[in-house]
Amino acid sequence: MKGLGTETAFEVLARAKQLEAQGREIVHLEIGEPDFDTPQNIVEAGAKALRGGWTHYGPSAGQAPAREAIAAFFSRDRGVQVGPEHVVVTPGAKPILFFAVLAVVDPGDEVIYPDPGFPIYESVISFFGGKPVPLPLREDHAFTFDLADLEARITPRTRMIIFNSPHNPCGSMLGKDTLRGIAELAERHDLWVLADEIYSKITYEEKHESITQFPGLLDRTIVVDGYSKTYAMTGWRLGYGIMPADLVPHVARLMTNSNSCTASFTQIAGIEALNGPQDDVAAMVAEFRRRRDRIVDGLNAIDGISCVKPKGAFYVFPNIRGTGLKSAQLQTRLLEEAGVAALAGTSFGPQGEGYLRFSYANSLENIERALEKIEGLLAKV
Ligand code: PLP
């Protein structure tokens, strides 16, 4: 069990709640979850599905109408034709990460993943006996990487490349040329690709591009996506993977052995999410953009901090080296002394030293308050 990592966000949240219970005011910028409610049409569809008897076990790979709807959505959204036989529905997107690595990575296999990056990647690679090979994302590369850096990490033992665009924690996105380059490397070296596209609908200037658009890539890619972020459905636990049809029975068997199936009524509500009006998503993204612009400007106005403007997701990853503090020290002092919950960049890998992650999934008013508190604390440092 020592090989299994965690997400610090949940630990910081627990400490912040403890402080709140003691009467302290805390501004929460630690957790990666939209502060909006699930759109009403989806809630109604879920309630109707419950009343309509979608309360039983279902097939491990997902309910047939849900898989159909996901395949149709993916085909029209990414412009790549897939059918329901490519889809596995899971309780949240995370199980797809877990099952994909469990299904294809053998002990000793090397897996390349982004550093900084979502901490669960390294955790599951190590847990299943794989060798995690970090690929540094650098600020002077807009928090992306050179293809040469990626290629240099590929060996005969490399089995899989994991990437995430838009990216948690940096908010960076991979352009079409980089994706084409990854696709070529994956083909040349016969690698699996795990494309975490959970933030694909939360973008500000550029449209998200999927690596599955390149010839042959659907046969070697597992796409991770779901409803948690786009439709503010984190607590519903609903996600899915798009993968080669011959991998689906194996991942479905992992579902049979673990969850049996994803809750049936949530899957039916998910059909409404994909096929119903998308106005609430557009309004949420517009609000995230306003907050992004405010928090980036606000952070850049504070001595010791500089912040690149992210292109997607709802995180900023400011450089805090000018404060003279280590990331973990600033995380602790912000929480304990200033009442601002944030995450040290090192929660996302060693390359995160010198950075913090703030989630701006909080009101503009609270973001203003946090900026004042951060400035107040740094004036004392
Ligand atoms: N992938 C990334 C990059 C994430 O940030 C998250 C959630 O924070 C997930 C996957 C998991 O999403 P879900 O809540 O649907 O399991």
Side-chain angles (χ1 to χ4, degrees), residues 36-39 41-42 73 199-204 227 229-233 272-274 276-289:
F36 299 91
D37 289 332
T38 305
N41 60 316
I42 305 173
F73 167 79
Y199 296 102
S200 58
K201 290 284 155 223
I202 305 177
T203 62
Y204 304 113
Y227 304 73
K229 317 286 178 176
T230 309
Y231 300 103
M233 290 174 70
E272 171 64 17
L274 300 180
Q278 303 295 305
D279 313 348
D280 287 322
V281 179
M284 183 177 77
V285 174
E287 181 58 25
F288 280 149
R289 176 180 308 176

Side-chain angles (χ1 to χ4, degrees), residues 59-61 99 249-261:
S60 293
F99 295 151
H250 302 292
V251 176
R253 215 146 32 94
L254 285 167
M255 274 294 287
T256 307
N257 277 270
S258 52
N259 298 291
S260 294
C261 61

